[in-house]
Amino acid sequence: MNNLTKNIIRFIVFVVLQTIVFNQLEIGYGFHLMIHPLFIMLLPFELGVISLMGLAFLMGIIIDIFSNTYGLHASSLVLMAYLRPIIFKFYGPREGYDPLKEPNVFDMGNRWFTYVFGILLLAHHFWYFLVEIFQFNQFFFILQKTIFSAVPSFLICLLLQSFLIKKSKSK
Amino acid sequence: MRNLIAFLRRFQIFLVFASLQIISLVIYVQFLSFPRSQYLTTASNVTAKVLTWENDVTKHFDLSKNNYALQRENIRLRERLPEFMYTLSAGKVKVDDTIFKQQYTYIPGMVINSSVTRRNNYFTLNIGSKQGVRTNMGVFSDKGVVGIVHNISEHYCVVKSVLTKDINIDVIIEPIHLAGILKWDGHDPRRGSIDGISNDLRIKRWSRVVTRGGSGIFPKGIPVGKVERIESIEGEPLWNVVVRYSEDYRTLQRVYVVKNLMIEEQQALEGQIPPDEEEDILR
């Protein structure tokens, strides 16, 4: 299976999982599980930032259509795609990334993944709730929603990777 | 010209980012107040089909509760039938049946997709323009008011529920007929608040809140909830009246869309009033 078909299948799987399963789980107290940022995270290293943002916009709009948020997911996913190369550069090894590897938790290690994906997920969630609520006297409510949603989303993304990704054979 | 191209090339990543952000935020702001098409909402055919499949599985989770609610509503209506009443007076009663003319009819529908935890929550119903649904029609269930139709397609419609930012349904607090506007602050799907009630008025706790029926969207007297507590707002001579909704929106399934047969007459009459220019300046 080459890279393109793999990513197309992943795109569909993430959209279906997010819209049909995770959008319907409404726990309350500000928990709002969003796992589709993981798709943007798992795209290959060598993909340019403009195509990253294009894919993010497309995926965001599709999820928006299913959840009546009219461009909110698109906006926050595009922000995440824009930040991805910057954060990658910041935490990257000195000789650059190995193009054969994939930015998942098995190839890159727990520590790297927690830092990079944690920051990206927090930025995504913070932007999402900031635009959604858009009242600055409710800033602590925005922060509460961000933390309460980002932490369980991160854990579920860790879990999902063990289902969706085959571990590379070198390990 | 060459400088411009060099500038564009240098900042092309940021420019693409900014334009995508602007596109998505413009769509967001536009669709919140007035949706221009059905294709970016769950009213569109493909999305609603997928959500119907999903709902075919999940609707069974709340089925017994909803059946019980429908049964109770049936009992309430049956109790009003003349066959179920005992006649007290043997004399004949004269009924003048031309003093009532039907103003509202109802279209039954079912919720196929809903959310309650976002800032703006919408419900998708499985009825659309073919069944006679139009935008700005009221929607309620047997226990309480649900929302206003926001966007329609041929077979589906999206309802802006009372759990949204600018829902502004006019309601009254029952025994003394205090009029106010229903709002939702985005925290708790079980509680809303009423705006615009002056704090020299005394309100009893647990008094009923019903719709006012002024704008012709809802008939008068559809239940909304009960007054749970009354708080004073700092710096304003108003009460913040917290209402506990009588409907549990998390398990909502069967709803009715209100069709006002005289809405055109009312709107044509109200359209003749010239807009108040002074009010706009003050705002």
Side-chain angles (χ1 to χ4, degrees):
Chain A
M1 198 159 51
N2 68 351
N3 234 340
L4 185 68
T5 42
K6 190 172 80 185
N7 277 313
I8 288 172
I9 290 170
R10 255 186 211 162
F11 187 95
I12 296 165
V13 166
F14 274 103
V15 167
V16 167
L17 269 182
Q18 178 63 35
T19 53
I20 305 232
V21 181
F22 287 98
N23 265 354
Q24 312 294 332
L25 294 176
E26 298 202 301
I27 310 157
Y29 308 106
F31 285 100
H32 191 165
L33 301 174
M34 288 188 263
I35 50 116
H36 56 278
L38 186 61
F39 171 77
I40 303 297
M41 179 71 191
L42 291 181
L43 286 169
F45 281 117
E46 66 269 20
L47 202 66
V49 63
I50 288 180
S51 36
L52 259 180
M53 286 194 285
L55 273 173
F57 186 76
L58 183 69
M59 181 167 208
I61 281 289
I62 292 175
I63 289 169
D64 278 329
I65 291 172
F66 275 95
S67 46
N68 279 325
T69 42
Y70 320 131
L72 209 54
H73 281 114
S75 164
S76 42
L77 262 192
V78 166
L79 178 83
M80 186 191 158
Y82 178 69
L83 290 179
R84 193 185 101 138
I86 300 169
I87 309 274
F88 271 23
K89 213 177 200 176
F90 191 75
Y91 281 99
R94 203 168 296 141
E95 62 274 16
Y97 288 100
D98 184 354
L100 288 176
K101 282 186 174 176
E102 202 183 39
N104 60 37
V105 69
F106 306 116
D107 281 7
M108 299 306 299
N110 277 331
R111 215 183 106 129
W112 183 88
F113 187 82
T114 310
Y115 279 131
V116 173
F117 190 56
I119 290 170
L120 287 177
L121 202 67
L122 274 178
H124 171 271
H125 278 55
F126 182 69
W127 182 257
Y128 178 89
F129 291 119
L130 186 73
V131 178
E132 186 187 31
I133 295 171
F134 207 67
Q135 271 177 335
F136 291 101
N137 57 355
Q138 298 208 343
F139 190 72
F140 283 100
F141 186 52
I142 297 174
L143 277 187
Q144 178 204 337
K145 271 195 149 182
T146 309
I147 303 289
F148 276 25
S149 313
V151 173
S153 301
F154 183 83
L155 295 177
I156 287 174
C157 287
L158 275 183
L159 253 174
L160 269 180
Q161 286 180 65
S162 43
F163 293 119
L164 292 175
I165 297 161
K166 277 185 198 161
K167 287 179 191 177
S168 50
K169 281 164 193 168
S170 59
K171 273 190 179 175
Chain B
M1 193 64 207
R2 196 187 289 160
N3 282 342
L4 182 69
I5 291 170
F7 172 81
L8 287 180
R9 191 165 290 165
R10 185 142 177 238
F11 290 101
Q12 62 173 345
I13 291 171
F14 184 75
L15 287 175
V16 170
F17 168 69
S19 51
L20 285 178
Q21 281 292 351
I22 288 167
I23 292 171
S24 45
L25 292 178
V26 163
I27 294 174
Y28 177 62
V29 173
Q30 253 182 16
F31 271 65
L32 268 186
S33 50
F34 182 71
R36 269 156 208 272
S37 80
Q38 34 148 312
Y39 293 108
L40 285 176
T41 67
T42 48
S44 79
N45 237 329
V46 183
T47 352
K49 265 277 159 51
V50 175
L51 290 171
T52 311
W53 296 335
E54 185 264 321
N55 183 58
D56 282 343
V57 179
T58 54
K59 71 181 173 192
H60 300 287
F61 298 158
D62 302 321
L63 202 62
S64 62
K65 192 186 166 189
N66 276 291
N67 280 344
Y68 182 59
L70 289 177
Q71 212 174 11
R72 250 182 342 202
E73 191 187 16
N74 266 339
I75 289 170
R76 216 164 54 232
L77 295 174
R78 265 170 191 273
E79 279 169 351
R80 289 188 175 183
L81 288 177
E83 291 91 335
F84 288 75
M85 288 179 191
Y86 182 79
T87 331
L88 278 177
S89 76
K92 279 182 183 166
V93 182
K94 191 179 157 200
V95 178
D96 224 352
D97 59 356
T98 50
I99 51 173
F100 293 114
K101 190 180 176 213
Q102 190 167 27
Q103 189 182 0
Y104 296 100
T105 57
Y106 306 108
I107 309 163
M110 198 168 133
V111 177
I112 57 170
N113 183 45
S114 67
S115 70
V116 292
T117 55
R118 293 168 211 277
R119 182 66 188 89
N120 296 303
N121 297 294
Y122 298 88
F123 297 150
T124 314
L125 309 185
N126 65 348
I127 47 175
S129 60
K130 279 221 164 155
Q131 280 84 359
V133 180
R134 300 285 176 270
T135 48
N136 287 331
M137 280 183 170
V139 181
F140 69 99
S141 72
D142 63 320
K143 270 191 265 170
V145 56
V146 172
I148 293 168
V149 176
H150 191 53
N151 194 6
I152 49 167
S153 69
E154 225 173 31
H155 302 288
Y156 302 97
C157 67
V158 173
V159 177
K160 190 177 183 178
S161 71
V162 292
L163 310 177
T164 44
K165 206 183 254 176
D166 312 311
I167 181 70
N168 297 350
I169 294 176
D170 33 345
V171 294
I172 46 176
I173 301 174
E174 183 113 81
I176 37 179
H177 284 254
L178 279 175
I181 289 172
L182 190 69
K183 302 252 182 196
W184 191 58
D185 62 352
H187 286 261
D188 189 347
R190 284 166 298 182
R191 287 173 187 86
S193 61
I194 301 179
D195 243 28
I197 289 186
S198 168
N199 68 358
D200 57 337
L201 299 160
R202 299 183 70 185
I203 301 161
K204 271 188 195 155
R205 281 181 77 199
W206 308 116
S207 42
R208 268 159 49 86
V209 178
V210 297
T211 54
R212 183 161 155 255
S215 51
I217 292 174
F218 288 104
K220 193 179 173 182
I222 286 186
V224 175
K226 283 179 175 168
V227 174
E228 194 175 59
R229 56 175 191 273
I230 301 128
E231 297 160 347
S232 51
I233 307 174
E234 220 169 280
E236 275 182 81
L238 297 170
W239 287 125
N240 179 29
V241 182
V242 177
V243 179
R244 200 187 163 98
Y245 295 133
S246 49
E247 176 61 77
D248 184 359
Y249 297 104
R250 293 168 296 183
T251 57
L252 185 68
Q253 267 183 1
R254 303 273 170 179
V255 294
Y256 307 101
V257 177
V258 181
K259 187 174 183 181
N260 187 351
L261 301 173
M262 301 177 187
I263 187 81
E264 275 145 22
E265 198 179 325
Q266 184 180 351
Q267 277 171 354
L269 207 57
E270 283 171 356
Q272 290 172 9
I273 305 169
D276 199 345
E277 281 172 25
E278 245 174 66
E279 208 170 74
D280 290 340
I281 294 164
L282 282 175
R283 238 174 243 164

